[in-house]
Amino acid sequence: MDDLTTRVRAFAEERDWQQFHTPKNLVMALAGEVGELVAEFQWLTPEQAAAVMDDPAAGARVRAEVGDVMIYLTRLADVLGIDLEEAALTKLAEVAARYPADEVRGSADKR
């Protein structure tokens, strides 16, 4: 993650874009990219969605949108001073405590 963060930061700095990379702008850009990712799956059946990477053209579009989402999320975390990996691991531990595997296996019920 550190290498990606450094590279994304350098990319913005080389273009003098950091002035535009406010948390609000980055969140809005991230939401837009997530929307573009959602559009790739809109109207697909569950089976088609599961096999989307089998289609070279669709797979390339999905891969590109996931890349965009990751770049904006990485940049947002950097600007806010959030360790992305630590945040994800902390959240995973919280969810694991809330949903013990032996109690929720096979259930989609919320707690």
Side-chain angles (χ1 to χ4, degrees):
M1 284 303 312
D2 289 340
D3 182 53
L4 179 59
T5 298
T6 299
R7 291 176 69 177
V8 171
R9 183 186 309 133
F11 184 89
E13 288 172 353
E14 289 166 359
R15 289 154 180 81
D16 194 26
W17 287 352
Q18 66 273 25
Q19 62 184 314
F20 308 115
H21 288 184
T22 64
K24 178 197 74 78
N25 288 351
L26 290 167
V27 167
M28 291 176 70
L30 177 59
E33 294 301 339
V34 169
E36 290 180 21
L37 179 59
V38 168
E40 291 298 328
F41 288 86
Q42 189 175 16
W43 312 122
L44 297 182
T45 66
E47 296 76 20
Q48 290 169 324
V52 73
M53 298 307 291
D54 295 341
D55 178 308
R61 291 191 308 271
V62 167
R63 189 176 294 105
E65 296 308 335
V66 167
D68 285 339
V69 168
M70 186 67 175
I71 288 167
Y72 277 113
L73 182 59
T74 300
R75 184 69 179 132
L76 176 64
D78 185 35
V79 166
L80 292 175
I82 296 170
D83 180 315
L84 198 52
E85 185 175 9
E86 180 183 315
L89 292 173
T90 298
K91 184 63 179 184
L92 186 59
E94 291 170 2
V95 174
R98 193 162 112 200
Y99 297 99
D102 59 333
E103 294 178 21
V104 300
R105 181 170 285 107
S107 172
D109 292 342
K110 292 280 189 175
R111 289 185 166 197

